[in-house]
């Protein structure tokens, strides 16, 4: 496992962003071809998707986090044998033409069910080997995980001769395997986050509140190269660190306590995610012992990943997400703390903060995809007393003999505010 010192890593530049967007444009035909091949194998004639990260991946049209709640159907996409159709109302039409220049933009505003028969009739069906099939679309794959039951029924009734088929996470599975430009953006997001926590460290002292530190960290991230936060900053002190997904409060930081940060940056659409548990003044014995236990568990997972990468692509065929989780979990269980580690070991990251692959006790029992990037974040939580978690992102690519932590902030016992 290799580490890149923070000082030796460069943040995103304007040419970097332009190059990444160009790489996306060049990759989209390949991505669409892969989806069409999948649809053909599944025996469906076209695909209808609504998840914003899938739409950006396939078309280039980008909605901000949460914007889909007000965008209506704008961005929702139909993929047929030879066309990509992006729906957009008047608020998003110009953006859609600019960001999805290869797509046909259809003006739809509150009348999707009315337009539905016409839209489907305009599509040529995917047939053998992804080509066009005679007779048009008769079976349409719909992303059932993101389409409400009400919408499903309205579309079904609008075109009763079209069979709506629940689609699996087909695009999410594609997104789990990362292209080089995608990995570069995750790394750039990690660097922004690393430097932000370094800058914040001087502001950590007894008497400041969780909320004050969270707001300052957000400001640093947003003014240091990130276009947005990957998710809301978590800053939790003392007993509140036992909340794995808690939100900052007005509680003041006290000496002798842990201080847990969980946060990430977003650069050119791609996210980072890191957790660091710091010590405000010298740690008490209990907290330091728990920290070293969590660190040992994380290292066990990294060691398994590194060993697998060293064995090449053939060896990677036997490594599953459950096995990586078990390597870390086994260390904590051996210390008699297994019941204090309730969540999974990690998750993939990219256009979404949580995406495939997922590492946990109930994860898919299939080989890890590669190249990919995911978090490794064991934790131990004593309700009402303390909590420790360490989270890093790792690039996993046995095909290129690469197993690399992208998170550069120190992982050892770190004392602040002394």
């Amino acid at each position: 496992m290799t580490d890149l010192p923070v000082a030796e890593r460069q943040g995103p530049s304007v040419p970097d962003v332009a190059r990444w967007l160009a790489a996306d444009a060049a990759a989209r035909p390949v991505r669409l071809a892969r989806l069409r091949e999948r649809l053909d194998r599944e025996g469906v004639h076209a695909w209808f998707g609504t998840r914003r990260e899938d739409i950006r991946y396939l078309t280039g049209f980008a909605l901000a986090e949460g914007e889909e709640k007000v965008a209506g159907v704008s961005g929702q996409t139909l993929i047929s044998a030879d066309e990509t159709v992006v729906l957009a109302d008047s608020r998003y039409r110009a953006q859609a033409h600019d960001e999805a220049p290869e797509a046909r933009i259809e003006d739809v505003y509150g009348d999707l069910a009315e337009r539905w028969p016409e839209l489907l009739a305009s599509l040529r069906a995917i047939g053998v080997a992804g080509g066009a099939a005679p007779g048009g679309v008769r079976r349409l794959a719909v992303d059932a995980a993101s389409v409400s039951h009400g919408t499903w029924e309205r579309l079904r009734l609008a075109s009763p001769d079209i069979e709506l088929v629940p689609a699996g996470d087909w695009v999410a599975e594609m997104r789990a395997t990362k292209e080089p430009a995608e990995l570069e953006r995750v790394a750039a997001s990690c660097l922004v986050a690393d430097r932000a926590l370094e800058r914040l460290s001087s502001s950590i002292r007894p008497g400041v509140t969780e909320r004050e530190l969270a707001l300052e960290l957000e400001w640093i991230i947003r003014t240091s190269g990130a276009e947005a936060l990957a998710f809301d900053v978590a800053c939790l002190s003392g007993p509140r660190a036992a909340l794995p997904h808690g939100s900052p409060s007005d509680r003041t930081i006290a000496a002798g306590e842990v201080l847990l940060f969980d946060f990430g940056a977003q650069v050119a659409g791609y996210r980072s995610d890191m957790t660091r548990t710091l010590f405000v003044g010298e740690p008490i014995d209990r907290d330091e012992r728990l920290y070293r236990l969590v660190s040992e568990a994380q290292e066990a997972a990294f060691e398994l990943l590194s060993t697998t990468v060293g064995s090449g692509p053939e060896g990677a065929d036997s490594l599953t997400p459950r096995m990586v989780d078990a390597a870390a979990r086994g260390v904590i269980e051996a210390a008699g703390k297994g019941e204090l580690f309730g969540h999974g070991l990690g998750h993939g990251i990219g256009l979404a903060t949580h995406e495939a692959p997922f590492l946990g006790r109930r994860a898919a029992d299939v080989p890890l995809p590669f190249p990919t990037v995911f978090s490794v974040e064991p934790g131990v939580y004593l309700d009402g007393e303390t909590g420790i978690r360490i989270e890093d992102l790792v690039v996993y690519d046995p095909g290129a003999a690469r197993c690399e932590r992208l998170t550069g902030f120190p992982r050892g016992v770190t004392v602040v505010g002394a």
Side-chain angles (χ1 to χ4, degrees):
M1 179 72 68
T2 59
D3 294 315
L4 295 179
V6 174
E8 296 180 11
R9 298 157 64 204
Q10 300 300 312
S13 65
V14 172
D16 284 334
V17 174
R19 177 171 55 82
W20 293 329
L21 295 179
D24 279 344
R28 278 195 286 273
V30 177
R31 298 170 182 173
L32 289 167
R34 290 171 60 199
L35 177 59
R36 289 178 173 122
E37 290 169 1
R38 178 64 181 268
L39 300 180
D40 190 23
R41 292 198 305 272
E42 300 287 344
V44 292
H45 300 145
W47 177 85
F48 178 60
T50 64
R51 280 189 264 199
R52 61 183 189 81
E53 55 266 28
D54 291 347
I55 303 312
R56 178 166 184 167
Y57 184 77
L58 294 169
T59 74
F61 181 83
L63 292 174
E65 181 85 37
E67 192 176 0
E68 67 276 11
K69 297 175 183 177
V70 297
V73 300
S74 293
Q76 296 180 9
T77 296
L78 286 156
I79 306 292
S80 67
D82 52 8
E83 269 195 307
T84 299
V85 179
V86 175
L87 312 182
D89 63 39
S90 59
R91 298 170 298 166
Y92 292 93
R93 189 185 305 115
Q95 177 186 344
H97 280 288
D98 180 54
E99 294 180 344
E102 304 302 319
R104 167 162 53 107
I105 311 302
E106 285 287 347
D107 193 353
V108 179
Y109 187 59
D111 57 350
L112 178 57
E114 295 173 26
R115 298 284 310 283
W116 193 244
E118 166 201 340
L119 289 169
L120 295 186
S122 72
L123 302 176
R124 289 205 301 164
I126 291 171
V128 177
V137 172
R138 289 294 176 265
R139 302 186 78 232
L140 178 71
V142 178
D143 186 355
S146 63
V147 172
S148 70
H149 177 71
T151 297
W152 182 287
E153 282 299 293
R154 285 191 292 273
L155 299 182
R156 184 183 65 81
L157 294 173
S159 291
D161 56 329
I162 305 297
E163 180 186 0
L164 302 184
V165 179
D169 290 330
W170 301 336
V171 181
E173 291 171 12
M174 291 168 49
R175 289 176 25 236
T177 301
K178 296 295 191 287
E179 300 152 5
E182 294 181 284
L183 294 175
E184 288 181 21
R185 277 171 281 185
V186 175
S189 299
C190 286
L191 178 58
V192 171
D194 287 338
R195 290 178 170 171
L197 188 55
E198 285 182 343
R199 286 178 55 187
L200 181 74
S201 296
S202 61
S203 297
I204 300 173
R205 62 188 182 279
V208 299
T209 68
E210 296 172 352
R211 200 182 312 277
E212 288 170 337
L213 290 174
L215 286 171
E216 184 174 350
L217 183 57
E218 177 175 348
W219 173 257
I220 295 170
I221 292 169
R222 289 182 178 274
T223 56
S224 301
E227 63 192 10
L229 297 178
F231 52 92
D232 289 341
V233 172
C235 175
L236 307 165
S237 61
R240 299 192 75 251
L243 303 173
H245 275 185
S247 299
S249 73
D250 289 322
R251 184 182 190 277
T252 56
I253 310 306
E257 294 184 333
V258 301
L259 182 60
L260 186 151
F261 289 95
D262 187 356
F263 65 102
Q266 179 176 309
V267 171
Y270 285 74
R271 290 118 182 276
S272 64
D273 187 1
M274 69 180 292
T275 303
R276 285 296 182 268
T277 306
L278 310 178
F279 295 93
V280 183
E282 288 302 314
I284 63 175
D285 289 344
R286 178 201 64 192
D287 290 347
E288 185 171 0
R289 286 197 305 270
L290 289 177
Y291 190 94
R292 296 191 186 283
L293 174 63
V294 171
S295 179
E296 182 184 350
Q298 191 190 50
E299 287 301 322
F302 286 144
E303 179 63 28
L304 176 59
L305 292 167
S306 295
T307 300
T308 302
V309 163
S311 66
E314 296 78 11
D317 289 341
S318 62
L319 183 65
T320 70
R322 291 187 193 180
M323 293 168 63
V324 185
D325 177 271
R329 193 172 302 277
V331 172
I332 295 175
E333 289 175 341
K337 307 291 185 184
E339 75 281 2
L340 304 179
F341 177 25
H343 56 75
L345 180 67
H347 56 84
I349 192 166
L351 287 168
T353 301
H354 294 87
E355 60 183 47
F358 294 95
L359 288 71
R361 288 171 291 185
R362 290 174 289 277
D365 196 20
V366 297
L368 275 167
F370 62 87
T372 192
V373 58
F374 50 79
S375 68
V376 178
E377 47 179 307
V380 170
Y381 311 93
L382 296 175
D383 288 347
E385 297 183 48
T386 193
I388 305 289
R389 184 167 68 254
I390 307 170
E391 177 183 14
D392 293 301
L393 295 187
V394 57
V395 173
Y396 172 75
D397 186 7
R402 184 183 184 194
C403 188
E404 177 184 317
R405 287 188 183 106
L406 297 181
T407 318
F409 192 90
R411 276 167 292 282
V413 172
T414 301
V415 175
V416 293

